[in-house]
Amino acid sequence: MIFVNYPNHHRPPKEWLETANKITAEMTAAYRAACEKIGEAKASNCSSESGVGAADLTECYSIIEKHKGFWGELRGWLEEFSLHKCWFSEAKNAASYWHVEHFRPKKSAKEPTRQGYWWLAFDFKNYRLCGSAVNSPKGAYFPLKEGTSASIGPLHNCDDEWNVLIDPTRKADVDLITFSEGGIAVPNSADPWGQHRAQVSIERYNLNTHSAFVRARANLWERCETFCNDLITRISERKEAESKGIFSKSTEIDIENLKQKIRQLTLPGEEFSGVARAYLLQHPSAEVRSQLG
């Protein structure tokens, strides 16, 4: 997993935003009407837990269903942020076809089961691009840290929630996962809360259970190992030759070619580049570690 710098001050096309705002306004009106039906004096008071908890959100969910294909129009736009990779797995083809995933579930959330974040259904900042192999097990699963109050209306600040699942658009979140021997995803935190978030995310995002991910990362780990071993060997041979006053241009070319191959694997646009970076960072040789692209 690598950090996806999203939205990085970018916005979807103007026409898409205008339509999204209209749909959200329609849902908000339905929400206020539902609140008024349960005796709230003012629609603005619907941020209170009592009002929202009892409000009938059927109409809001109906509006979401009516426009459920709309967020898919941003699929191509979202791909550019991750250089055409799944934001969670870093897969290109191994993740199957693309989904525009709602990080905070739009209609219902699970663990525990509660209402969804309907007001974020057409908020592009809540979108994440992922393959079906990630989205299917994730679904509406969105647990929060024990003691955290869930946002229950548009006037609540979702940033106050302590979500369990790792968000690829947050650098500190992404750093909670690394890879070990064979490209296996593992927690990368000494903090119990960070470990828990990583373990749950690895399981829920299918990172170690989807066979295509596992095979591809294992193959990449092996390629890194081969290139790095060859690099160390060639550098050692060069030092030995130079100690005898022997200098070889072809050896220098071999070493530079190997360095280039290693650096290439760590570049953001490469599939599963997080695995290659993890391999290099854990390598005992400073010469190898310095090849991070």
Side-chain angles (χ1 to χ4, degrees):
M1 182 180 289
I2 61 170
F3 169 59
V4 179
N5 192 5
Y6 174 78
N8 192 24
H9 307 295
H10 293 286
R11 296 171 67 80
K14 180 181 178 182
E15 296 77 10
W16 189 95
L17 282 173
E18 290 175 346
T19 302
N21 290 337
K22 288 179 181 177
I23 297 172
T24 301
E26 184 181 355
M27 287 194 297
T28 302
Y31 167 71
R32 288 174 175 166
C35 287
E36 290 173 352
K37 285 183 179 180
I38 59 172
E40 291 293 330
K42 296 180 180 179
S44 60
N45 288 337
C46 285
S47 61
S48 66
E49 186 171 357
S50 59
V52 176
D56 183 358
L57 298 175
T58 302
E59 182 60 25
C60 290
Y61 295 155
S62 176
I63 294 170
I64 291 175
E65 281 299 303
K66 180 181 176 181
H67 300 282
K68 65 181 180 180
F70 183 63
W71 47 80
E73 296 179 13
L74 292 185
R75 190 177 292 111
W77 182 73
L78 291 167
E79 281 188 60
E80 299 299 323
F81 289 91
S82 61
L83 301 175
H84 309 283
K85 298 194 296 184
C86 169
W87 293 16
F88 298 87
S89 68
E90 280 199 90
K92 291 183 178 179
N93 298 324
S96 189
Y97 57 90
W98 295 131
H99 289 184
V100 176
E101 204 272 326
H102 291 73
F103 185 64
R104 283 180 166 79
K106 56 190 176 295
K107 293 176 67 176
S108 66
K110 297 179 179 178
E111 300 296 333
T113 299
R114 60 186 187 280
Q115 73 169 51
Y117 302 78
W118 59 266
W119 62 97
L120 299 180
F122 301 94
D123 184 343
F124 71 93
K125 294 185 292 296
N126 188 41
Y127 296 163
R128 309 288 183 267
L129 185 74
C130 66
S132 58
V134 172
N135 194 29
S136 295
K138 190 266 185 187
Y141 184 80
F142 198 74
L144 300 176
K145 186 176 184 179
E146 186 176 352
T148 295
S149 296
S151 296
I152 50 178
L155 298 183
H156 282 212
N157 183 6
C158 292
D159 288 338
D160 285 338
E161 293 181 334
W162 283 81
N163 49 285
V164 174
L165 291 179
I166 286 175
D167 183 355
T169 69
R170 293 182 178 273
K171 181 65 167 62
D173 277 18
V174 172
D175 289 343
L176 294 175
I177 291 180
T178 188
F179 300 91
S180 64
E181 180 74 26
I184 300 299
V186 294
N188 186 39
S189 174
D191 172 62
W193 168 237
Q195 287 184 12
H196 175 68
R197 296 188 67 201
Q199 288 167 347
V200 172
S201 298
I202 288 169
E203 177 182 353
R204 187 55 58 168
Y205 295 151
N206 239 351
L207 298 186
N208 286 340
T209 49
H210 186 58
S211 59
F213 295 164
V214 176
R215 286 196 304 269
R217 294 202 310 263
N219 289 338
L220 178 56
W221 190 273
E222 186 176 348
R223 288 178 67 196
C224 290
E225 192 169 44
T226 298
F227 288 155
C228 292
N229 287 343
D230 288 348
L231 176 62
I232 292 173
T233 298
R234 296 301 279 157
I235 290 175
S236 177
E237 290 172 349
R238 179 182 63 184
K239 289 180 179 179
E240 183 178 355
E242 289 178 349
S243 70
K244 299 175 182 179
I246 302 172
F247 300 91
S248 170
K249 185 176 180 180
S250 62
T251 299
E252 290 296 329
I253 293 174
D254 287 347
I255 289 174
E256 287 308 311
N257 286 340
L258 283 167
K259 287 181 176 181
Q260 184 176 356
K261 288 178 180 179
I262 294 169
R263 286 194 293 267
Q264 182 66 36
L265 295 178
T266 70
L267 296 179
E270 292 295 309
E271 191 171 31
F272 304 111
S273 60
V275 173
R277 296 182 67 84
Y279 179 88
L280 265 63
L281 286 169
Q282 296 170 36
H283 203 280
S285 169
E287 187 76 41
V288 169
R289 295 195 301 273
S290 67
Q291 302 311 310
L292 279 171

